[in-house]
């Protein structure tokens, strides 16, 4: 899992106006520009250029753009999910399954791309995680997070016993919840704007 990822919130109406065959390329070109003001250690980056105002980029703190922490987030959840109550387990299962990509397979890519975003699954594979979730999916993910968040503290003790792994990207419960909260921040921002979200391989 040596790939990198950039995560965007995107004005979906604007994206849908772009020719389907061009959408992925336009997203990739628009995510970054030769502008030092775009650089950030963590949090939101909002491009200053008017022609890029239809998207914002979220930088996950401490990940250096690497996808590895997100992969280990899923592994940590697998280690501890048996200790979660039904509401939390169902909500986080749905939240993470919809967002986090697990391998370079066309089928895996298609599971994380809403229908109609790209012209077909043919040629969709890229060497890295590809995520595209429209406003309707985002609204559902936001509801999942609202159910999961209040119950997360119940995982602190079982996490220490079953999932803590010093030296791993997600070493403890604090790092687990911090990265989860980053995804919740992305989903929440997209929901508030009634936008979608996109994860692109770098």
């Amino acid at each position: 899992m040596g790939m990198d990822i950039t995560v965007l919130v995107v004005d979906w109406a604007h994206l849908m106006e772009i020719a389907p065959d061009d959408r992925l390329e336009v997203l990739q070109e628009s995510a970054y520009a030769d502008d030092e003001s775009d650089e950030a250690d963590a949090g939101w980056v909002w491009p200053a250029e008017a022609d890029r105002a239809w998207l914002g980029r979220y930088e996950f703190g401490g990940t250096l753009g690497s996808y590895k922490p997100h992969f280990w987030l899923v592994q940590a959840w697998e280690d501890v999910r048996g200790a979660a109550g039904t509401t939390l387990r169902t909500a986080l299962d749905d939240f993470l399954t919809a967002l986090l990509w697990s391998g370079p397979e066309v089928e895996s890519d298609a599971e994380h791309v809403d229908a109609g975003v790209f012209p077909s699954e043919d040629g969709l594979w890229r060497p890295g995680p590809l995520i595209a979730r429209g406003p309707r999916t985002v609204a559902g993910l936001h509801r999942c997070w609202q159910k999961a968040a209040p119950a997360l503290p119940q995982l602190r003790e079982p996490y220490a016993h079953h999932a803590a792994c010093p030296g791993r990207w997600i070493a403890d419960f604090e790092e687990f919840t911090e990265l989860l909260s980053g995804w919740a921040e992305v989903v929440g921002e997209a929901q508030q704007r009634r936008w979608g979200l996109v994860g692109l391989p770098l």
Side-chain angles (χ1 to χ4, degrees), residues 23-62:
R23 286 175 188 160
L24 189 58
E25 182 178 355
V26 170
L27 281 165
Q28 290 169 326
E29 291 177 350
S30 301
Y32 289 88
D34 296 329
D35 182 351
E36 292 183 0
S37 66
D38 275 4
E39 297 178 1
D41 294 327
W44 289 104
V45 179
W46 299 102
E49 302 91 341
D51 62 352
R52 296 171 64 216
W54 56 280
L55 57 81
R57 190 174 81 243
Y58 187 80
E59 300 286 353
F60 290 89

Side-chain angles (χ1 to χ4, degrees), residues 154-173:
Q154 71 181 242
L155 291 181
R156 180 178 292 277
E157 185 174 345
Y159 195 100
H161 290 292
H162 302 292
C165 188
R168 194 164 75 176
W169 272 98
I170 306 298
D172 53 33
F173 183 71

Side-chain angles (χ1 to χ4, degrees), residues 62 90 99 121:
T90 301
L99 290 172
E121 295 178 12

Side-chain angles (χ1 to χ4, degrees), residues 72-128:
W72 286 112
L73 174 68
V74 174
Q75 296 302 302
W77 170 238
E78 288 296 325
D79 290 342
V80 78
R81 67 184 296 276
T86 301
T87 298
L88 175 58
R89 184 166 59 250
T90 301
L92 265 193
D93 276 347
D94 291 345
F95 187 81
L96 292 174
T97 299
L99 290 172
L100 295 184
W101 179 92
S102 58
E105 301 292 341
V106 171
E107 293 80 5
S108 180
D109 276 347
E111 291 172 1
H112 295 85
V113 176
D114 283 351
V117 182
F118 301 113
S120 74
E121 295 178 12
D122 297 333
L124 184 59
W125 185 84
R126 293 293 185 274

